[in-house]
Amino acid sequence: MTRHHLISFQPSGKRVPTAGRETLLQLAHGAKLPIESVCGGQGTCGKCRILIPLAQGRLLPPTEKEISALGNLIEKGYRLACEMVPASDLTCTIPEASLVSGQVILTSSNCRPSRLKPDIMDFSLEIPPPTLSDPASDLSRLIRAFQKTYGRQVREIDTLAMREIASAVRSQKGRITAFLWKDRELIDVRAGNDEAVFGIAFDIGTTTVVAYLLDLRSGREVSVASAMNPQVPYGDNVISRITYCLEDEKGLEKLRSILLALMNQLIDRLCQKAGIKNSQVLEATVVGNTVMHHLFLGLDPRSIALAPYNPVVRSTGPVKARDLRLHISPSGYVVPLPVKAGFVGGDTIGVVIATNPHRKSAMTLAIDIGTNGEIVLGNRGRLLCCSTAAGPAFEGGHIKWGMRATKGAVEKVEIDPATLNVRIHTIGNRPPLGLCGTGTISVVAALIRARVITSHGSFNPAVSHPRLRPGDGGTEFVLAWAGETGTKNDLVITQQDVAELQLAKGAIRAGITILMKKMGIKKVHRVLLAGAFGTYVEVQDAWTIGLIPSDLCSQVESVGNAAGAGACLALLNRDKQAEAERMAEKMEYVELSVDPDFNELFIDGMLFDAPVPLDKS
Amino acid sequence: MTRHHLISFQPSGKRVPTAGRETLLQLAHGAKLPIESVCGGQGTCGKCRILIPLAQGRLLPPTEKEISALGNLIEKGYRLACEMVPASDLTCTIPEASLVSGQVILTSSNCRPSRLKPDIMDFSLEIPPPTLSDPASDLSRLIRAFQKTYGRQVREIDTLAMREIASAVRSQKGRITAFLWKDRELIDVRAGNDEAVFGIAFDIGTTTVVAYLLDLRSGREVSVASAMNPQVPYGDNVISRITYCLEDEKGLEKLRSILLALMNQLIDRLCQKAGIKNSQVLEATVVGNTVMHHLFLGLDPRSIALAPYNPVVRSTGPVKARDLRLHISPSGYVVPLPVKAGFVGGDTIGVVIATNPHRKSAMTLAIDIGTNGEIVLGNRGRLLCCSTAAGPAFEGGHIKWGMRATKGAVEKVEIDPATLNVRIHTIGNRPPLGLCGTGTISVVAALIRARVITSHGSFNPAVSHPRLRPGDGGTEFVLAWAGETGTKNDLVITQQDVAELQLAKGAIRAGITILMKKMGIKKVHRVLLAGAFGTYVEVQDAWTIGLIPSDLCSQVESVGNAAGAGACLALLNRDKQAEAERMAEKMEYVELSVDPDFNELFIDGMLFDAPVPLDKS
């Protein structure tokens, strides 16, 4: 008989038996303890660190991956939950920073449609009974009443909606409400005057999924729900998700079905909160990057990972909800905003239709920063777009004490240039646990201003201070001492962390430079920062680290979750859907990897005060 | 503990235990013994008669329904299986005539399309690979290749077909076969040159379902399969099926799902026989009366049972196969031919597009006889139609020794007017078991010619012969003595049987007369008899019993299963679908029940040699 060990997880106190085959991460997930794992248990992201008092049972020595990811933290008892298979009874502690919880997800969509013109409109009708001299079908009488009352022609009827007609026309003396999609297809018929009709706009991010419930008659946002993308354990970025699909023949269906299950949960949650039935939601719009778009639709994403990175399908048009198994009304429609290219997705198209660069003569630069940074440049005459692989640094990834933007994450620091005293602001005003993306930028910007970091990104060897010390990743700067933090460890930023940020911003800078070169301009009228990052980052910090060239423009605006706003607008105004299709067609995609100057520009862009060589070519 | 009895069924010898709660019919069906039951166990059709030797166990006395259905047969040991709940061990014999087996189902569709123009066509394409300078999506490249190679524009793509593109364009150097529906929607994409494409035409009758597998590239009929409609146990006619839906709130879904299950079995059987995959069948057409049309589509049929008998929907247009759960390719289409009225269905429309009265100047009368008789009259200028409730007599129902057209059924008799000697022809040359519809007509016609039956339908009191004798349903004529039959009983036709036939033919005659009156004509150029009955009945007999007025026309033609032929034609030529829609629109429906002369004409029509009072009104 196999001997079972007992694993006790602190601080929750949950106890889990194991036969010694599963990792601590698997055991914790099985016990519903949401330990973070952005790499999906590959031992690379270092996010699932747990604390194991050293004097316990039979511990296997740390693996190479643990040594690489944790460095000297191992001496303090940290291990990676995804690497440890316990061989004896064990008590371990899950630090708060390792828990997936309460992430700040940008949900406000800033959605103000200029005009309400949804795909679906409700019509009250009175259907006369049939007679022996005119035994017309229920549907024929409905179509005639429509024509007579509203002067409109019903051209099609949904197969499932057809089944509702007989009882609807009989239950309230022929008074019904009919719902017409795009002025032509009857997609719902209800007895009496039940005019309520709703829509849901989805923003499927690589990391988070946000859903907005909108009342299509008033345009009002009824409620918002969001959650982590459940695909995260299968890879923290789009390329690792594609790799998962390539390695497992059922990978695509698995990624699609867990995403779908989450979206259906969000629908249920929104409908329960609003006190409505799922069947009253008759349309959903969806924005997402191209890989999310493909995974949601069940399209094989592998071509996106290989040159020339083309998608399988750019525009699908509306799809019946039942064909995608999305639990709004089965007769309703799902409208995925079109994608432009393998790395310029429906989210970028959403940013465009929400911020309207193509409707203005002023030259606009819009940057949506995430793991990939999508950049759009242009005006009424011409629109260019590109995508740069910024990497995870802006989202707290690959940073030693990096974390998502949850409670305890440092979001802003002030450093006195004279004393190097540090003042830290965290989300939720907690003792600091780590650095989120904006926090990392704030720290680096403050250190640049304090001349602790040079233009090349290295710590200034001329500075001597107790906070600046050698660490296992090169020199590091101590932001908070162990006694001040929530982890009881010194909170530091390392030379390697600064380099990660340089890589990320260098990619963005190179993208901006190449687009401006293609457009033949040196200045723009406005710069828009979109996405969670764009909302929370201090413009001054973005300038200081040189994310935006300092001489580019004085007007920098944060536009919040513009991609989600685009999805909401497309739901409320069908002209916006058409506009999205036109923009996906018209916008010119620039493939950075084929630009001969890219590598040089990338390296130049990593510098912190390098002048942008606009006139190079 | 409940005591179990043992029931032994002969001649199969199957033994079934029972706790005494189920009827013999239920027990037999549970044991897969296919006892006939057209009324669904209501005790009214008398088809489930079984033989129980009298000296057995504790037998409950015959019920009123048994006495009414069986008459003096009870003395010979006959009982109704649906009425008997055995209270002791029992041995019973199922007579051959009570078994559902080997019915002659009319499957030949006589289908000769003048032109092959199916909805679905295959196109071979070569898709060039994407390049960095033109990273167009797989779909865009496919659409471009289509445009370039064939000059055609693909406007839509099926959501599921979209998922096939990525692997298809990658597996055989970009060589694919694309399947386009109605020149606009891409519904299937396969790697290489797999051009095979099939369709299935369904003829859903109240009693039988026939399916024809057609090769859409050649128009060839590949194979045919048929089976009893599994809804028969829930009622032998359309009204009793509707009643079942009214009485059981899940009745509609039940009738729909058992029909669907059978249709899917037929699809599987046809595909297996032809060695093809179900996914290669890309379209199905369906004809059926209005109740079958509604039950197949999941539409509530109750309005058809009540004045003014209107359907819920007359025309649905094409429906995705997956939305109906029909197991051809889920991306394929189902095209139900439209219905005209509650009792003029897609089967009648099928007869019209197969026989083309609307394309000729000659005046045509087409009669499709079943439980309901649908009549179409007209030519190029005008088409009228009506439906008459002929009742089950033409299909062997409500006739004492009536049976379906299976082996042993009398299909033709000759009676010598001088000697009244009878010569009997049966299906399969077996000793006679009973009378099918054409047999009943043949017997009555022969007895009229022999002057044994008078113009009023009563047995001639002036005739004295051992074959003519009193029975428990009035006078009866012995067609075969017990020693000559397969049942070891005298095979008779009773006064009541003749009256049933008179009711049936009276209804048809009244319909013909009213249509001719509306059209203002006294003669037609041709009469078409459609359906199984129309195929097998002798034209001379139809004239003798006055089913067709003798002075109407000299050209009577049997057109076989014209409804099924219509379904096949619609599958092979999309113009025929459009024609069906136009005819369903244009044809004028005549409601017989509101005609003030109907009752009088019905009674006149029951006479056997009554002159038709055409000039009455």
Side-chain angles (χ1 to χ4, degrees):
Chain A
M1 209 186 82
T2 319
R3 181 163 133 49
H4 279 71
H5 316 305
L6 205 60
I7 310 303
S8 165
F9 289 101
Q10 299 302 334
S12 70
K14 277 201 184 170
R15 290 153 77 95
V16 184
T18 174
R21 277 185 291 269
E22 291 175 294
T23 64
L24 282 178
L25 182 65
Q26 289 166 327
L27 293 169
H29 283 176
K32 310 259 180 216
L33 292 166
I35 295 186
E36 181 80 285
S37 168
V38 298
C39 70
Q42 302 298 310
T44 57
C45 74
K47 294 300 174 230
C48 64
R49 53 182 79 153
I50 52 167
L51 259 170
I52 302 178
L54 291 178
Q56 277 193 76
R58 289 184 292 143
L59 282 191
L60 295 171
T63 63
E64 274 184 38
K65 286 180 179 174
E66 289 183 278
I67 294 166
S68 157
L70 296 168
N72 60 6
L73 288 176
I74 287 176
E75 293 157 31
K76 301 191 172 179
Y78 283 94
R79 299 293 293 265
L80 293 184
C82 68
E83 286 286 298
M84 281 208 61
V85 177
S88 64
D89 291 353
L90 198 67
T91 296
C92 60
T93 301
I94 306 173
E96 200 178 339
S98 297
L99 283 172
V100 177
S101 69
Q103 181 176 20
V104 177
I105 293 175
L106 191 64
T107 55
S108 164
S109 66
N110 273 324
C111 185
R112 292 264 174 282
S114 50
R115 220 179 130 206
L116 204 57
K117 190 186 174 189
D119 275 337
I120 294 147
M121 296 178 78
D122 59 284
F123 297 90
S124 294
L125 287 171
E126 202 170 328
I127 315 293
T131 62
L132 271 170
S133 58
D134 179 21
S137 71
D138 295 344
L139 178 60
S140 302
R141 290 177 354 261
L142 190 158
I143 291 173
R144 271 192 232 152
F146 224 111
Q147 174 72 38
K148 198 173 146 194
T149 316
Y150 296 101
R152 282 174 199 247
Q153 192 73 42
V154 178
R155 290 179 203 286
E156 297 165 47
I157 175 161
D158 178 83
T159 312
L160 300 184
M162 209 151 59
R163 296 182 183 164
E164 305 301 322
I165 298 181
S167 67
V169 301
R170 273 162 194 78
S171 67
Q172 297 199 26
K173 295 182 179 171
R175 269 199 299 277
I176 64 162
T177 306
F179 295 87
L180 207 59
W181 181 79
K182 284 200 196 290
D183 290 331
R184 77 170 179 260
E185 183 188 337
L186 197 61
I187 65 167
D188 196 7
V189 180
R190 302 181 202 152
N193 294 329
D194 176 8
E195 299 146 350
V197 51
F198 298 87
I200 294 182
F202 281 100
D203 174 12
I204 308 177
T206 310
T207 309
T208 59
V209 180
V210 189
Y212 308 86
L213 177 67
L214 304 182
D215 181 332
L216 297 187
R217 298 187 86 228
S218 66
R220 190 173 56 94
E221 180 181 297
V222 181
S223 65
V224 181
S226 63
M228 298 291 285
N229 186 326
Q231 297 170 341
V232 166
Y234 299 90
D236 66 342
N237 61 59
V238 295
I239 297 299
S240 53
R241 305 261 170 97
I242 296 175
T243 307
Y244 181 74
C245 293
L246 286 171
E247 285 170 355
D248 185 332
E249 72 176 305
K250 289 185 176 158
L252 167 58
E253 188 42 38
K254 175 145 197 184
L255 292 187
R256 167 167 151 69
S257 63
I258 57 173
L259 173 61
L260 188 71
L262 174 78
M263 292 170 77
N264 285 334
Q265 278 169 27
L266 291 177
I267 295 170
D268 291 346
R269 213 194 292 166
L270 287 172
C271 290
Q272 275 161 23
K273 209 162 134 193
I276 64 170
K277 281 180 282 187
N278 292 38
S279 60
Q280 291 177 293
V281 180
L282 294 182
E283 188 163 289
T285 51
V286 176
V287 297
N289 62 52
T290 306
V291 174
M292 292 306 111
H293 171 272
H294 277 40
L295 292 180
F296 170 62
L297 292 166
L299 301 172
D300 186 343
R302 74 181 64 189
S303 63
I304 301 170
L306 301 164
Y309 320 110
N310 65 300
V312 175
V313 170
R314 230 175 55 187
S315 167
T316 63
V319 177
K320 280 282 174 192
R322 59 177 174 264
D323 288 343
L324 295 172
R325 292 184 273 135
L326 198 68
H327 293 168
I328 61 170
S329 163
S331 307
Y333 277 98
V334 178
V335 180
L337 290 204
V339 303
K340 174 66 196 175
F343 290 96
V344 176
D347 45 359
T348 307
I349 303 291
V351 170
V352 170
I353 64 167
T355 60
N356 294 318
H358 57 292
R359 287 168 171 259
K360 298 183 169 71
S361 53
M363 190 58 71
T364 301
L365 176 72
I367 313 174
D368 192 0
I369 300 175
T371 309
N372 284 288
E374 293 92 11
I375 309 172
V376 172
L377 175 69
N379 64 3
R380 175 177 296 155
R382 188 180 182 197
L383 272 191
L384 303 178
C385 65
C386 70
S387 174
T388 63
F394 289 132
E395 290 177 333
H398 290 193
I399 300 294
K400 180 166 185 176
W401 285 97
M403 64 183 287
R404 294 182 198 274
T406 63
K407 282 177 185 167
V410 173
E411 51 176 356
K412 189 180 170 187
V413 300
E414 293 158 80
I415 299 176
D416 185 316
T419 62
L420 296 193
N421 281 347
V422 182
R423 199 169 152 198
I424 288 181
H425 304 264
T426 64
I427 297 174
N429 273 325
R430 302 276 192 89
L433 295 170
L435 299 168
C436 67
T438 48
T440 309
I441 290 179
S442 181
V443 168
V444 174
L447 291 172
I448 290 170
R449 284 190 287 265
R451 300 186 185 278
V452 177
I453 289 179
T454 69
S455 67
H456 284 82
S458 49
F459 284 107
N460 189 345
V463 176
S464 169
H465 192 278
R467 288 187 183 268
L468 205 62
R469 68 183 190 193
D472 53 13
T475 307
E476 59 189 28
F477 183 87
V478 182
L479 290 161
W481 303 101
E484 306 160 342
T485 69
T487 61
K488 303 303 162 207
N489 282 291
D490 294 346
L491 174 61
V492 302
I493 183 160
T494 68
Q495 184 65 69
Q496 184 55 36
D497 294 343
V498 178
E500 288 286 344
L501 189 70
Q502 285 180 286
L503 286 171
K505 81 109 184 173
I508 301 281
R509 273 295 286 274
I512 295 173
T513 308
I514 290 175
L515 287 196
M516 294 188 69
K517 187 180 68 174
K518 293 260 180 209
M519 188 65 85
I521 55 171
K522 295 192 180 176
K523 278 191 177 284
V524 301
H525 292 97
R526 56 173 192 158
V527 174
L528 307 179
L529 294 180
F533 178 85
T535 305
Y536 297 116
V537 76
E538 299 269 332
V539 171
Q540 188 58 47
D541 292 342
W543 261 320
T544 302
I545 68 160
L547 181 68
I548 308 158
S550 55
D551 55 350
L552 189 65
C553 165
S554 59
Q555 195 192 334
V556 178
E557 209 180 306
S558 170
V559 291
N561 183 4
C568 291
L569 287 170
L571 194 53
L572 296 177
N573 184 350
R574 73 179 84 159
D575 293 342
K576 281 288 179 185
Q577 291 173 25
E579 201 168 286
E581 295 289 338
R582 278 200 307 278
M583 286 307 112
E585 191 70 41
K586 182 189 164 186
M587 195 159 62
E588 299 164 49
Y589 174 69
V590 177
E591 176 55 53
L592 297 182
S593 66
V594 299
D595 192 291
D597 298 334
F598 180 77
N599 282 338
E600 203 172 334
L601 288 170
F602 179 40
I603 291 162
D604 285 348
M606 285 169 64
L607 300 179
F608 284 125
D609 60 356
V612 187
L614 274 179
D615 43 3
K616 188 153 189 174
S617 61
Chain B
M1 209 185 83
T2 318
R3 181 163 132 49
H4 279 71
H5 314 304
L6 207 60
I7 311 303
S8 164
F9 289 101
Q10 298 302 333
S12 70
K14 276 200 184 171
R15 293 153 76 95
V16 184
T18 174
R21 278 185 292 271
E22 290 176 294
T23 64
L24 282 179
L25 183 65
Q26 289 166 328
L27 293 170
H29 283 177
K32 308 260 181 214
L33 292 167
I35 294 186
E36 181 81 285
S37 168
V38 296
C39 71
Q42 303 297 308
T44 57
C45 73
K47 295 297 172 234
C48 64
R49 54 183 78 154
I50 50 167
L51 259 170
I52 303 179
L54 292 178
Q56 275 196 78
R58 290 184 290 144
L59 280 191
L60 294 171
T63 63
E64 276 185 35
K65 285 181 178 173
E66 288 182 279
I67 293 166
S68 157
L70 296 170
N72 59 6
L73 288 176
I74 287 177
E75 293 157 30
K76 301 193 173 177
Y78 282 95
R79 298 293 293 266
L80 292 184
C82 69
E83 285 286 299
M84 281 208 59
V85 178
S88 64
D89 289 356
L90 197 69
T91 296
C92 60
T93 301
I94 305 171
E96 200 179 339
S98 299
L99 283 173
V100 176
S101 69
Q103 181 175 19
V104 177
I105 294 175
L106 191 64
T107 54
S108 164
S109 67
N110 273 326
C111 185
R112 292 267 175 280
S114 50
R115 220 179 129 206
L116 204 57
K117 190 185 174 189
D119 275 337
I120 294 146
M121 298 178 77
D122 58 284
F123 297 89
S124 293
L125 287 171
E126 202 170 328
I127 315 293
T131 62
L132 270 171
S133 59
D134 178 21
S137 72
D138 295 344
L139 178 60
S140 303
R141 281 162 20 246
L142 190 158
I143 290 173
R144 270 192 235 153
F146 224 109
Q147 174 73 38
K148 197 173 148 195
T149 317
Y150 297 101
R152 283 175 197 245
Q153 191 71 42
V154 177
R155 288 178 204 285
E156 296 165 48
I157 174 161
D158 179 83
T159 312
L160 300 184
M162 209 151 60
R163 296 182 183 163
E164 306 301 321
I165 297 180
S167 67
V169 301
R170 274 164 194 77
S171 67
Q172 295 200 27
K173 293 180 181 172
R175 268 199 300 278
I176 64 163
T177 306
F179 296 85
L180 207 58
W181 180 80
K182 284 200 195 291
D183 289 332
R184 76 169 180 262
E185 184 189 335
L186 197 60
I187 64 167
D188 197 7
V189 180
R190 301 181 202 151
N193 294 330
D194 176 8
E195 298 147 351
V197 51
F198 298 86
I200 293 183
F202 281 101
D203 175 11
I204 307 178
T206 311
T207 310
T208 58
V209 180
V210 189
Y212 308 87
L213 177 67
L214 304 181
D215 181 331
L216 297 187
R217 299 187 87 227
S218 66
R220 190 172 56 92
E221 181 181 296
V222 181
S223 65
V224 182
S226 64
M228 298 289 286
N229 186 327
Q231 297 170 340
V232 166
Y234 300 90
D236 66 342
N237 60 60
V238 295
I239 298 298
S240 53
R241 304 261 171 99
I242 296 175
T243 307
Y244 181 75
C245 292
L246 286 170
E247 285 170 355
D248 185 332
E249 72 174 308
K250 288 185 177 157
L252 167 59
E253 189 42 37
K254 176 147 198 183
L255 292 187
R256 167 168 151 68
S257 62
I258 57 174
L259 173 61
L260 187 71
L262 174 79
M263 293 170 76
N264 285 334
Q265 277 169 28
L266 292 178
I267 295 169
D268 291 346
R269 214 194 292 165
L270 287 171
C271 290
Q272 275 162 24
K273 211 162 132 192
I276 64 170
K277 281 180 280 186
N278 291 38
S279 60
Q280 291 177 293
V281 180
L282 293 182
E283 188 163 286
T285 52
V286 176
V287 297
N289 62 51
T290 305
V291 175
M292 293 305 112
H293 172 271
H294 276 40
L295 292 179
F296 169 61
L297 291 168
L299 301 173
D300 186 344
R302 71 181 67 190
S303 63
I304 301 170
L306 301 165
Y309 320 108
N310 65 299
V312 175
V313 169
R314 231 175 55 188
S315 166
T316 62
V319 177
K320 280 280 173 193
R322 59 178 173 263
D323 288 342
L324 295 173
R325 292 185 272 134
L326 198 68
H327 294 167
I328 61 170
S329 163
S331 307
Y333 277 98
V334 177
V335 180
L337 290 205
V339 304
K340 173 67 195 175
F343 290 96
V344 176
D347 45 0
T348 307
I349 302 292
V351 170
V352 170
I353 63 169
T355 60
N356 294 319
H358 58 290
R359 286 166 171 261
K360 297 182 168 70
S361 54
M363 191 58 72
T364 301
L365 176 72
I367 313 175
D368 193 357
I369 301 175
T371 309
N372 285 288
E374 293 92 10
I375 309 172
V376 173
L377 174 69
N379 64 3
R380 176 176 296 156
R382 190 180 181 197
L383 271 192
L384 302 179
C385 66
C386 71
S387 174
T388 64
F394 288 133
E395 291 178 332
H398 291 192
I399 301 294
K400 182 167 184 176
W401 285 100
M403 63 183 288
R404 296 182 196 274
T406 62
K407 282 177 186 169
V410 173
E411 51 175 356
K412 189 180 171 187
V413 299
E414 293 159 78
I415 298 177
D416 185 316
T419 60
L420 299 192
N421 282 346
V422 182
R423 194 168 158 206
I424 288 181
H425 303 265
T426 65
I427 298 174
N429 273 326
R430 301 279 190 88
L433 295 170
L435 300 168
C436 67
T438 49
T440 309
I441 289 179
S442 182
V443 168
V444 173
L447 289 173
I448 290 169
R449 284 191 287 264
R451 298 184 188 281
V452 177
I453 289 179
T454 69
S455 67
H456 284 82
S458 48
F459 283 106
N460 190 345
V463 176
S464 173
H465 191 278
R467 288 187 182 269
L468 207 61
R469 68 184 189 192
D472 54 11
T475 308
E476 60 189 27
F477 183 87
V478 182
L479 291 161
W481 303 101
E484 304 161 345
T485 68
T487 62
K488 304 304 162 206
N489 281 291
D490 294 347
L491 174 62
V492 302
I493 182 157
T494 68
Q495 184 64 68
Q496 185 55 37
D497 294 344
V498 179
E500 287 285 343
L501 190 69
Q502 286 181 283
L503 286 170
K505 81 110 184 170
I508 300 280
R509 273 294 286 273
I512 295 174
T513 308
I514 290 176
L515 286 197
M516 294 189 68
K517 189 179 67 173
K518 293 260 177 206
M519 188 66 85
I521 56 170
K522 292 192 181 176
K523 279 194 175 285
V524 301
H525 293 96
R526 56 173 193 160
V527 175
L528 308 178
L529 295 179
F533 177 86
T535 306
Y536 297 114
V537 75
E538 299 268 331
V539 171
Q540 187 60 45
D541 292 342
W543 262 319
T544 303
I545 68 159
L547 180 70
I548 308 158
S550 56
D551 55 351
L552 190 66
C553 165
S554 58
Q555 194 192 334
V556 178
E557 207 180 306
S558 171
V559 291
N561 182 7
C568 291
L569 287 171
L571 194 53
L572 295 177
N573 184 350
R574 72 179 85 160
D575 294 342
K576 281 288 179 185
Q577 292 173 26
E579 201 168 286
E581 295 289 339
R582 279 199 307 278
M583 287 305 112
E585 192 69 42
K586 182 189 164 186
M587 196 160 60
E588 299 165 49
Y589 173 68
V590 177
E591 177 55 53
L592 297 183
S593 65
V594 300
D595 192 292
D597 298 335
F598 179 75
N599 282 339
E600 205 173 330
L601 288 170
F602 180 39
I603 290 163
D604 285 351
M606 285 170 64
L607 301 178
F608 283 125
D609 59 356
V612 187
L614 274 179
D615 44 3
K616 191 156 188 169
S617 61

